[in-house]
Amino acid sequence: MMLLAMQTGLRVSELTGLNCADVTLGTGANFRCEGKGRKQRALPLTSPVERLLRSWLAERAGQPQDPVFPTRTGSQTVNRIPTPEAPPD
């Protein structure tokens, strides 16, 4: 997940919103995502990232509508930033 984020510059919401169908592997490897302002973006993948994604997608064996990076229960990862707890008085 981190390698993909660093190579592409994806926002957290774009990264967590990726589905298996959004990834195209092989010649011209890329993925599609919906960016800021609901704009569609297609970003190329480098060979190392493509190899890693190919291995990951084969291991998780998800359906096209499934998230690329699911939670332990298989659902879409939620884009939220935890808030720090208030210090005790």
Side-chain angles (χ1 to χ4, degrees), residues 6-42:
M6 290 188 309
Q7 190 240 311
T8 60
L10 283 177
R11 295 174 177 86
V12 173
S13 61
E14 293 169 336
L15 189 62
T16 59
L18 287 177
N19 290 328
C20 294
D22 297 329
V23 180
T24 303
L25 301 174
T27 303
N30 69 80
F31 67 93
R32 296 177 315 277
C33 67
E34 189 172 280
K36 194 173 182 179
R38 296 193 185 268
K39 293 179 184 173
Q40 292 292 319
R41 299 196 306 163

Side-chain angles (χ1 to χ4, degrees), residues 65-85:
Q65 71 277 6
D66 291 342
V68 173
F69 303 110
T71 63
R72 285 181 287 183
T73 61
S75 62
Q76 192 85 31
T77 305
V78 177
N79 177 22
R80 67 183 161 137
I81 300 172
T83 56
E85 293 182 30

